[in-house]
Every structure is written in structure tokens, then in C-alpha cells.
Amino acid sequence: MNLKKIALFILIIASSNVFAQKDGYWDKERATTKELIVSAGDRVTFKIEDLPLGTTEIVYRITLLDENQQMANSLVSVLKAIPDPYGIGQGSAGAVFLMSKISGDDTCTYALFTSNDDAKKYIIDGKTDKACYAQTEPLSKDAKRLSVDKSSCLSQNSNTIWFAFQSKNWFLNQKVVLEVVPWVNTVLSRGWDKDNKNEIISLCKTSTLAQKMANSDDFCVCILNKIIKQYRYTEFQKLLAVEKTKAYKDFGNACYKDEDISKNVYSDLRKQASLLIKQQKYNEAIPKLNSIINDGKATALDYSSIGYCFILTKQYGKALKFLKEGEKLDDTELLVKLNLAHVYLISDDYSEAKAIYKKYQTQNVTDSVSWKEKTKQDFTVFQKAGLPSKDFEKVLKLYN
């Protein structure tokens, strides 16, 4: 039973390590390991290896060694047992785990700088006011974790750090071993920081497809995710203008066809068209409805709405064409039938119009509006718009 429990525990630990490492990795290839000799009572600075793009944390270890002492194990080898930097940050126990197993009797103070000029100034005056971190109490060994969100030593705009040491041995040279290992966030290592992402989103929002939508956030995020997956930021920036345009177009078309996004797109277009119709801006509503129809996403009601707009802009041939298409799509949609009757009436085909008006006069065009009531409402609008109205009264008398 105990063996089973142990096996299960090992399996859980192994699984958690795998999942934890999905977000990033310890970059041992660009780790810094440097043995520095500091003269008695002197100060020295050292620039570590440039931190790789996407570095969000670093772990460093400082160990002072006596003559002929060697490190028991490297910091890289210690970190192999830790799947991510957050395990180190859980209090002092994590830092103690990183400590070297040996150190000498010597002590030193140290500071970290993000500027070469500030580090050089420290050599001259020993002041740490420009340091992003300073250890002013002498010690023989130390280990720390620094992260982007909690330390000014790390930022997306800077990729290097200068370590500065001051010997507290006033008679003999000191041997200081400095080890630094960066933690690289997998996503950020591709160069897509907040500013770069916003650049893509801003460009997306000016696109023709995005401007069809009342809210294009989901659409633009979809395009951004596809670009991030396909390109590193530097790769995308190197594309020719025509290549970028094609990428936007291809990814935009793919996102536009996404079921959830397309539903929102066409819903937005319908809302915009409905508002324009209420405002009597029929010429502006027509392109919105046409966009839905051209994409093959129209309902019979969309055909009814565009037919209504064509009637009010006195484009009766187009109105008849689109209303006939709507009728084929749904022969039971009475708003299509009513607008067809209107087209026939205004086009001087009273007999065709009369047959439709009489056939459906006892029904409702919606759950709350009757056929007769909607006819009267439309005739009022038509008269204000200056449409031919000589037969309006004849139709209304049919209902009596």
C-alpha cells in the first residue's frame, strides 16, 4: 500500500512539473557563470549575459570561496529540480534551497544596476542610490529570485544587468562566484508584449471587416492570436507591406467565418440597419443589409428589410428582385408578402397587389402587429416620402 502511495505521489509531482513548465523554461544556454577575483577592499562590476527575449524572472546565486574551494553543484543543476520560478518565491525556504553547500570566511556587499554608467559610478564612489537592488549587509553567500512585476532590475525594455561587488577583506583578494539563470516565458519569447499586441489590434480595428461590427474586439483578438501563432514579432515586422496586408486579409477571413464571431457580426449589421431605417436613412441601411446577403447569411426578414428600403428609395425593380428571393427562402414570412404587395401597388399593378392584401388581411405580420395595422403604418411612411399614393385608400377599403 505504501509503495502505491509513493508511486502515486511521484506521478502527481511529475505531472505538475510538466504542466508548470508549459509557460516557460530555465534557459541554461544563456545562463551566466563567472568567477571574479576582487582585490582587497576593492570594488568590481560585471555585466551578465544579455537576457533572452521574454525573460520574466531571474534567479542568481553569489558564493564567496576560500582558496582552492570548488562549487559543490551549479545553480543550473539545482534548478532542474524546480519546475518554475514561483516555487522559489514561496518564502525563505526556497532561497535556502538555492544556497551553495559551501562558502568561505570572506564577506562582501553587492548591488545590481541596469545602466553601465551607474555601475561605473559605483566603482568610483560606492554609492548604491542608483541601484535597482542593493545588499548592504556583508555576507558570504546569497541567492535571490527577481521578477518583472516586483523588481525594477527587470523590464521588457532592458535585457542586461550589471552586478557590482565590494570586498570586505582588507588584506587579501576574494574569489566570488556569480551564477545567473533566466526564466523565459514561452509566449513573450516570441516578442509579443503588450505594446506590440495593441499595435495589431489598432490596425485591425481600421479594417473593412472590423468596421462592419459594432464591437470588433473578439474579431481583432482572433486575428491577433492567429498572427502570434504564425509569426514571431520580429518576423512579422520584416514582412513586406503587401505580405502584411495578405496576412491580415487571410486571417480576417478565417476569423470572420468563425461561427460565434459571424453571429455577432451579422447581429450587429442588422441592429445598425434597423436603426438607420428608423432614422429614415434608407440609402445607408441598404449596404449593411447587402453585406449580410452577399455573405450568404441572410434570412427572409433581411430580404424584407432591404426590399422595404428599395421601395422608399424608389428602386422598385430591385425591391421586387430581393423580395422574390426572400419569398423563396421562406414563403410563410408575411413581412415579405406585405412588401411585395406594396411594390406591386406602387408599380401600378393593382390586381397583383390586391390579391396579396386580401389573402393575408386577417393575419398578424408579427406576434403583436396585425397585417392591417402594418399596412396603415407603411402607407403613412410612403406618403411622407412622396411615393405614389392614389390607390392607398382603395386598399384600406378592402379591409372594411
Side-chain angles (χ1 to χ4, degrees), residues 27 36 67 87 98 127 129 213 230 234 236 239 261 271 292 296 336 345 355 367 370 377 393:
D27 193 339
L36 302 167
E67 193 69 27
L98 297 175
K127 293 181 179 179
D129 55 311
M213 311 170 198
Q230 182 77 20
T234 52
F236 188 73
L239 294 179
I261 291 174
K271 288 176 184 176
I292 301 172
V336 173
L345 183 68
D367 59 354
S370 71
Q377 291 173 1
E393 286 300 322

Coordinates of all heavy atoms in Angstrom, one line a residue, residues 27 36 67 87 98 127 129 213 230 234 236 239 261 271 292 296 336 345 355 367 370 377 393:
D27 N 16.5 28.9 -19.0 CA 17.4 29.0 -20.2 C 18.8 28.8 -19.8 O 19.6 29.7 -19.5 CB 17.2 30.3 -20.9 CG 17.9 30.3 -22.3 OD1 18.7 29.5 -22.5 OD2 17.5 31.2 -23.1
L36 N 34.9 35.7 -10.2 CA 35.5 37.0 -10.2 C 36.5 37.1 -9.0 O 36.3 36.6 -7.9 CB 34.4 38.1 -9.9 CG 33.3 38.2 -10.9 CD1 32.2 39.1 -10.4 CD2 33.8 38.7 -12.3
E67 N 40.5 30.0 -0.9 CA 41.5 29.4 -1.8 C 41.3 27.9 -2.1 O 41.1 27.2 -1.1 CB 42.9 29.7 -1.3 CG 44.0 29.5 -2.4 CD 43.9 30.6 -3.4 OE1 43.5 31.7 -3.2 OE2 44.4 30.3 -4.6
G87 N 7.9 28.4 -7.4 CA 8.2 27.5 -6.3 C 9.4 28.1 -5.4 O 9.5 27.8 -4.2
L98 N 18.4 27.1 -2.7 CA 19.3 27.5 -3.8 C 20.7 27.7 -3.3 O 21.7 27.8 -4.1 CB 18.8 28.8 -4.4 CG 17.5 28.8 -5.1 CD1 17.1 30.2 -5.6 CD2 17.5 27.8 -6.3
K127 N 28.4 54.3 -4.0 CA 27.0 54.7 -3.6 C 26.0 53.8 -4.4 O 26.3 53.5 -5.6 CB 26.7 56.1 -4.0 CG 27.5 57.1 -3.1 CD 27.1 58.5 -3.4 CE 27.9 59.5 -2.5 NZ 27.6 60.9 -2.8
D129 N 22.6 54.5 -4.6 CA 21.3 55.1 -4.7 C 20.7 54.9 -6.1 O 19.5 55.0 -6.3 CB 21.5 56.6 -4.5 CG 22.6 57.3 -5.3 OD1 23.7 56.7 -5.4 OD2 22.3 58.3 -5.9
M213 N -18.7 45.9 -37.7 CA -19.1 45.4 -36.4 C -19.3 46.6 -35.4 O -18.5 47.5 -35.4 CB -18.1 44.4 -35.9 CG -17.7 43.3 -36.8 SD -16.4 42.4 -36.2 CE -15.8 41.6 -37.7
Q230 N 1.5 32.2 -35.8 CA 2.2 32.0 -37.1 C 3.6 32.7 -37.1 O 4.5 32.2 -37.7 CB 1.4 32.6 -38.2 CG 2.0 32.5 -39.6 CD 1.8 31.1 -40.2 OE1 0.9 30.4 -39.7 NE2 2.6 30.7 -41.1
T234 N 9.3 39.9 -34.5 CA 10.4 40.4 -35.4 C 10.1 39.8 -36.8 O 10.4 40.5 -37.8 CB 11.8 39.9 -34.9 OG1 11.8 38.5 -34.7 CG2 12.1 40.7 -33.7
F236 N 7.2 39.1 -38.2 CA 6.1 39.8 -38.7 C 6.5 41.2 -39.2 O 6.0 41.7 -40.2 CB 4.9 39.9 -37.7 CG 3.6 40.4 -38.3 CD1 2.9 39.7 -39.1 CD2 3.2 41.7 -37.9 CE1 1.7 40.2 -39.6 CE2 2.1 42.2 -38.5 CZ 1.3 41.5 -39.3
L239 N 8.0 41.5 -42.7 CA 7.2 41.2 -43.9 C 7.1 42.5 -44.7 O 7.0 43.6 -44.1 CB 5.8 40.7 -43.5 CG 5.7 39.3 -42.8 CD1 4.3 39.0 -42.4 CD2 6.3 38.2 -43.7
I261 N -18.2 34.5 -33.9 CA -17.9 35.9 -34.3 C -18.9 36.3 -35.4 O -19.4 37.4 -35.4 CB -16.5 36.0 -34.8 CG1 -15.5 35.8 -33.7 CG2 -16.2 37.3 -35.5 CD1 -14.0 35.8 -34.0
K271 N -28.8 45.3 -36.4 CA -29.1 46.3 -35.5 C -28.8 47.7 -36.1 O -29.6 48.6 -36.0 CB -28.3 46.2 -34.2 CG -28.8 45.0 -33.3 CD -27.9 44.8 -32.1 CE -28.3 43.6 -31.3 NZ -27.3 43.4 -30.2
I292 N -24.9 41.4 -45.5 CA -25.4 40.1 -45.0 C -25.8 39.2 -46.1 O -25.4 38.0 -46.1 CB -26.6 40.3 -44.0 CG1 -26.2 41.3 -42.9 CG2 -27.1 39.0 -43.5 CD1 -27.3 41.7 -42.0
G296 N -24.1 35.4 -47.8 CA -24.9 34.2 -47.7 C -25.5 33.9 -46.3 O -25.8 32.7 -46.0
V336 N -42.4 39.9 -45.8 CA -42.0 39.8 -47.2 C -43.3 39.9 -48.1 O -43.2 40.7 -49.1 CB -41.3 38.5 -47.5 CG1 -41.0 38.3 -49.0 CG2 -40.0 38.4 -46.8
L345 N -48.3 47.5 -55.8 CA -49.3 48.6 -55.8 C -48.6 49.9 -56.3 O -49.2 50.6 -57.1 CB -49.7 48.9 -54.3 CG -50.8 50.0 -54.1 CD1 -52.1 49.5 -54.7 CD2 -50.9 50.2 -52.6
A355 N -54.7 41.0 -54.6 CA -54.8 39.6 -54.3 C -54.0 39.3 -53.0 O -54.5 38.5 -52.1 CB -54.2 38.8 -55.4
D367 N -46.0 38.9 -33.9 CA -46.8 38.4 -32.8 C -47.7 39.4 -32.2 O -48.7 39.1 -31.5 CB -45.9 37.7 -31.7 CG -44.9 38.7 -31.1 OD1 -44.8 39.8 -31.6 OD2 -44.2 38.3 -30.1
S370 N -50.8 43.5 -36.4 CA -51.7 42.9 -37.5 C -51.3 43.3 -38.9 O -50.6 44.4 -39.0 CB -53.1 43.2 -37.2 OG -53.4 44.6 -37.5
Q377 N -49.5 51.7 -41.2 CA -48.2 52.3 -40.8 C -47.4 52.6 -42.0 O -46.8 53.7 -42.2 CB -47.5 51.4 -39.8 CG -48.2 51.3 -38.5 CD -47.5 50.3 -37.6 OE1 -46.5 49.7 -38.0 NE2 -48.0 50.1 -36.4
E393 N -56.1 54.4 -50.5 CA -57.4 54.3 -49.9 C -58.2 53.1 -50.4 O -59.0 52.5 -49.7 CB -58.2 55.6 -50.3 CG -57.7 56.8 -49.5 CD -57.9 56.7 -48.0 OE1 -58.9 56.0 -47.6 OE2 -57.0 57.1 -47.2

